[in-house]
mmCIF file with all atom_site columns, all heavy atoms in Angstrom:
data_model
loop_
_atom_site.group_PDB
_atom_site.id
_atom_site.type_symbol
_atom_site.label_atom_id
_atom_site.label_alt_id
_atom_site.label_comp_id
_atom_site.label_asym_id
_atom_site.label_entity_id
_atom_site.label_seq_id
_atom_site.pdbx_PDB_ins_code
_atom_site.Cartn_x
_atom_site.Cartn_y
_atom_site.Cartn_z
_atom_site.occupancy
_atom_site.B_iso_or_equiv
_atom_site.pdbx_formal_charge
_atom_site.auth_seq_id
_atom_site.auth_comp_id
_atom_site.auth_asym_id
_atom_site.auth_atom_id
_atom_site.pdbx_PDB_model_num
ATOM   1  N  N   . HIS M 1 72  ? 122.661 -125.854 -202.644 1.00 0.00 ? 949  HIS M N   1
ATOM   2  C  CA  . HIS M 1 72  ? 122.716 -125.748 -201.171 1.00 0.00 ? 949  HIS M CA  1
ATOM   3  C  C   . HIS M 1 72  ? 124.168 -125.892 -200.720 1.00 0.00 ? 949  HIS M C   1
ATOM   4  O  O   . HIS M 1 72  ? 124.726 -126.991 -200.777 1.00 0.00 ? 949  HIS M O   1
ATOM   5  C  CB  . HIS M 1 72  ? 121.835 -126.844 -200.536 1.00 0.00 ? 949  HIS M CB  1
ATOM   6  C  CG  . HIS M 1 72  ? 121.841 -126.862 -199.034 1.00 0.00 ? 949  HIS M CG  1
ATOM   7  N  ND1 . HIS M 1 72  ? 120.703 -126.754 -198.289 1.00 0.00 ? 949  HIS M ND1 1
ATOM   8  C  CD2 . HIS M 1 72  ? 122.848 -126.981 -198.135 1.00 0.00 ? 949  HIS M CD2 1
ATOM   9  C  CE1 . HIS M 1 72  ? 120.994 -126.814 -196.996 1.00 0.00 ? 949  HIS M CE1 1
ATOM   10 N  NE2 . HIS M 1 72  ? 122.295 -126.954 -196.876 1.00 0.00 ? 949  HIS M NE2 1
ATOM   11 N  N   . HIS M 1 74  ? 127.305 -124.088 -197.845 1.00 0.00 ? 951  HIS M N   1
ATOM   12 C  CA  . HIS M 1 74  ? 127.681 -123.160 -196.783 1.00 0.00 ? 951  HIS M CA  1
ATOM   13 C  C   . HIS M 1 74  ? 129.104 -122.718 -197.130 1.00 0.00 ? 951  HIS M C   1
ATOM   14 O  O   . HIS M 1 74  ? 130.064 -123.415 -196.770 1.00 0.00 ? 951  HIS M O   1
ATOM   15 C  CB  . HIS M 1 74  ? 127.680 -123.860 -195.424 1.00 0.00 ? 951  HIS M CB  1
ATOM   16 C  CG  . HIS M 1 74  ? 126.348 -124.442 -195.035 1.00 0.00 ? 951  HIS M CG  1
ATOM   17 N  ND1 . HIS M 1 74  ? 125.543 -123.885 -194.070 1.00 0.00 ? 951  HIS M ND1 1
ATOM   18 C  CD2 . HIS M 1 74  ? 125.681 -125.534 -195.480 1.00 0.00 ? 951  HIS M CD2 1
ATOM   19 C  CE1 . HIS M 1 74  ? 124.433 -124.602 -193.938 1.00 0.00 ? 951  HIS M CE1 1
ATOM   20 N  NE2 . HIS M 1 74  ? 124.490 -125.616 -194.778 1.00 0.00 ? 951  HIS M NE2 1
ATOM   21 N  N   . HIS M 1 227 ? 116.986 -126.057 -193.361 1.00 0.00 ? 1104 HIS M N   1
ATOM   22 C  CA  . HIS M 1 227 ? 117.216 -127.511 -193.357 1.00 0.00 ? 1104 HIS M CA  1
ATOM   23 C  C   . HIS M 1 227 ? 115.972 -128.220 -192.834 1.00 0.00 ? 1104 HIS M C   1
ATOM   24 O  O   . HIS M 1 227 ? 115.278 -127.694 -191.970 1.00 0.00 ? 1104 HIS M O   1
ATOM   25 C  CB  . HIS M 1 227 ? 118.388 -127.856 -192.442 1.00 0.00 ? 1104 HIS M CB  1
ATOM   26 C  CG  . HIS M 1 227 ? 119.700 -127.291 -192.903 1.00 0.00 ? 1104 HIS M CG  1
ATOM   27 N  ND1 . HIS M 1 227 ? 120.099 -126.013 -192.595 1.00 0.00 ? 1104 HIS M ND1 1
ATOM   28 C  CD2 . HIS M 1 227 ? 120.692 -127.824 -193.647 1.00 0.00 ? 1104 HIS M CD2 1
ATOM   29 C  CE1 . HIS M 1 227 ? 121.289 -125.787 -193.133 1.00 0.00 ? 1104 HIS M CE1 1
ATOM   30 N  NE2 . HIS M 1 227 ? 121.672 -126.874 -193.771 1.00 0.00 ? 1104 HIS M NE2 1
ATOM   31 N  N   . HIS M 1 266 ? 118.212 -131.376 -197.685 1.00 0.00 ? 1143 HIS M N   1
ATOM   32 C  CA  . HIS M 1 266 ? 118.242 -132.756 -197.163 1.00 0.00 ? 1143 HIS M CA  1
ATOM   33 C  C   . HIS M 1 266 ? 116.872 -133.444 -197.254 1.00 0.00 ? 1143 HIS M C   1
ATOM   34 O  O   . HIS M 1 266 ? 116.684 -134.294 -198.109 1.00 0.00 ? 1143 HIS M O   1
ATOM   35 C  CB  . HIS M 1 266 ? 118.834 -132.812 -195.743 1.00 0.00 ? 1143 HIS M CB  1
ATOM   36 C  CG  . HIS M 1 266 ? 120.190 -132.181 -195.689 1.00 0.00 ? 1143 HIS M CG  1
ATOM   37 N  ND1 . HIS M 1 266 ? 121.318 -132.846 -196.080 1.00 0.00 ? 1143 HIS M ND1 1
ATOM   38 C  CD2 . HIS M 1 266 ? 120.587 -130.930 -195.336 1.00 0.00 ? 1143 HIS M CD2 1
ATOM   39 C  CE1 . HIS M 1 266 ? 122.370 -132.036 -195.959 1.00 0.00 ? 1143 HIS M CE1 1
ATOM   40 N  NE2 . HIS M 1 266 ? 121.944 -130.873 -195.523 1.00 0.00 ? 1143 HIS M NE2 1
ATOM   41 N  N   . ASP M 1 315 ? 126.325 -129.352 -200.506 1.00 0.00 ? 1192 ASP M N   1
ATOM   42 C  CA  . ASP M 1 315 ? 126.264 -129.025 -199.077 1.00 0.00 ? 1192 ASP M CA  1
ATOM   43 C  C   . ASP M 1 315 ? 127.666 -128.817 -198.490 1.00 0.00 ? 1192 ASP M C   1
ATOM   44 O  O   . ASP M 1 315 ? 127.939 -129.210 -197.356 1.00 0.00 ? 1192 ASP M O   1
ATOM   45 C  CB  . ASP M 1 315 ? 125.495 -130.095 -198.279 1.00 0.00 ? 1192 ASP M CB  1
ATOM   46 C  CG  . ASP M 1 315 ? 125.255 -129.678 -196.832 1.00 0.00 ? 1192 ASP M CG  1
ATOM   47 O  OD1 . ASP M 1 315 ? 125.119 -128.477 -196.573 1.00 0.00 ? 1192 ASP M OD1 1
ATOM   48 O  OD2 . ASP M 1 315 ? 125.224 -130.568 -195.959 1.00 0.00 ? 1192 ASP M OD2 1
HETATM 49 ZN ZN1 . ZN  U 2 .   ? 123.252 -127.224 -195.139 1.00 0.00 ? 2629 ZN  U ZN1 1
#
Side-chain angles (χ1 to χ4, degrees):
H949 178 123
H951 300 254
H1104 296 85
H1143 305 279
D1192 188 31

